[in-house]
């Protein structure tokens, strides 16, 4: 299994890398994205730390930017998780975990959540992502195909004995 993962990593690392400076117009409309993080390596290349796709048609760029760069953690498990790691020893973590997407919840939590602190944390998450992450994409037009391939990539990486986080990986903090 790690041989397949080696091939996957070599191929993925050879694709054009994008970052927070990229524009959605440079990306295909439909496809799969794979994320790399500074300091994380495997197979002599950058390690794939995340694989993702989208269900809505023609939505790839929007989904990536929502996940990585939009300061709305309740719309992105990825951002929420990074925030949890950054807040690992911080009492604000408890508030960060609350979902303030809906109006009803914002009302409900208005005296509980420190929204200024929340905005600051969103900012930190965005900064962390901008400083540390890059991503590659490849085009897959059909939704069913995307989901199938995403699953295949994830199981290849999960089954690999050579893909593991560095000791200082932020993801381990939570
Ligand atoms: Zn691997």
């Amino acid at each position: 299994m790690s041989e397949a993962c080696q091939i996957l990593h070599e191929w993925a690392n050879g694709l054009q890398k994008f970052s927070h400076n990229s524009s959605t117009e440079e990306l295909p409309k439909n496809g799969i994205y794979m994320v790399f993080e500074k300091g994380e390596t495997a197979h002599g290349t950058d390690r794939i730390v995340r694989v993702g796709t989208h269900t809505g048609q023609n939505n790839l760029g929007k989904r990536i930017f929502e996940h990585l760069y939009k300061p709305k953690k309740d719309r992105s498990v990825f951002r929420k998780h990074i925030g949890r790691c950054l807040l690992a020893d911080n009492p604000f973590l408890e508030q960060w975990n609350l979902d303030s997407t809906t109006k009803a919840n914002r009302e409900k939590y208005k005296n509980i959540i420190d929204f200024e602190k929340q905005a600051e944390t969103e900012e930190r998450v965005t900064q962390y992502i901008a400083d540390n992450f890059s991503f590659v994409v490849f085009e897959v037009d059909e939704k069913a195909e995307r989901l199938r391939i995403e699953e295949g990539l994830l199981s290849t990486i999960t089954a690999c004995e050579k893909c593991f986080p560095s000791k200082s990986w932020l993801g381990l903090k939570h």
Side-chain angles (χ1 to χ4, degrees), residues 92 95 109-120:
F92 181 67
Q95 294 173 43
Y109 297 136
K110 72 174 180 200
N111 297 319
I112 299 173
I113 296 178
D114 178 342
F115 286 98
E116 205 173 307
K117 207 151 207 176
Q118 178 161 311
E120 267 170 43

Side-chain angles (χ1 to χ4, degrees), residues 4 19 32 35 41 81-82 85 117 124 128 147 159 165:
S19 72
I32 293 178
V35 180
T41 57
H81 186 68
I82 290 171
C85 296
K117 207 151 207 176
R124 280 180 70 196
Y128 184 84
L147 296 175

Side-chain angles (χ1 to χ4, degrees), residues 42-132:
H43 305 283
T45 61
D46 290 342
R47 182 168 73 84
I48 300 168
V49 298
R50 178 184 171 84
V51 176
T53 189
H54 58 109
T55 50
Q57 207 56 9
N58 299 327
N59 229 359
L60 173 66
K62 191 172 162 244
R63 196 61 195 133
I64 291 175
F65 279 81
E66 197 164 77
H67 252 309
L68 297 183
Y69 308 115
K70 219 174 177 184
K72 280 199 174 157
K73 48 102 177 164
D74 292 317
R75 298 234 182 259
S76 161
V77 166
F78 186 58
R79 288 187 61 94
K80 196 153 185 167
H81 186 68
I82 290 171
R84 282 176 183 147
C85 296
L86 292 173
L87 292 168
D89 306 312
N90 191 317
F92 181 67
L93 175 62
E94 213 169 300
Q95 294 173 43
W96 179 259
N97 280 329
L98 299 171
D99 185 339
S100 61
T101 317
T102 63
K103 213 177 161 192
N105 272 8
R106 276 196 300 277
E107 187 59 28
K108 182 170 151 197
Y109 297 136
K110 72 174 180 200
N111 297 319
I112 299 173
I113 296 178
D114 178 342
F115 286 98
E116 205 173 307
K117 207 151 207 176
Q118 178 161 311
E120 267 170 43
T121 309
E122 292 277 14
E123 192 68 27
R124 280 180 70 196
V125 171
T126 301
Q127 195 59 49
Y128 184 84
I129 292 175
D131 291 343
N132 292 283

Side-chain angles (χ1 to χ4, degrees), residues 2 5-6 9 42-43 157 160 162-163:
S2 62
C5 195
Q6 168 98 36
H9 272 79
H43 305 283
I157 294 167
C160 176
K162 292 186 178 160
C163 276

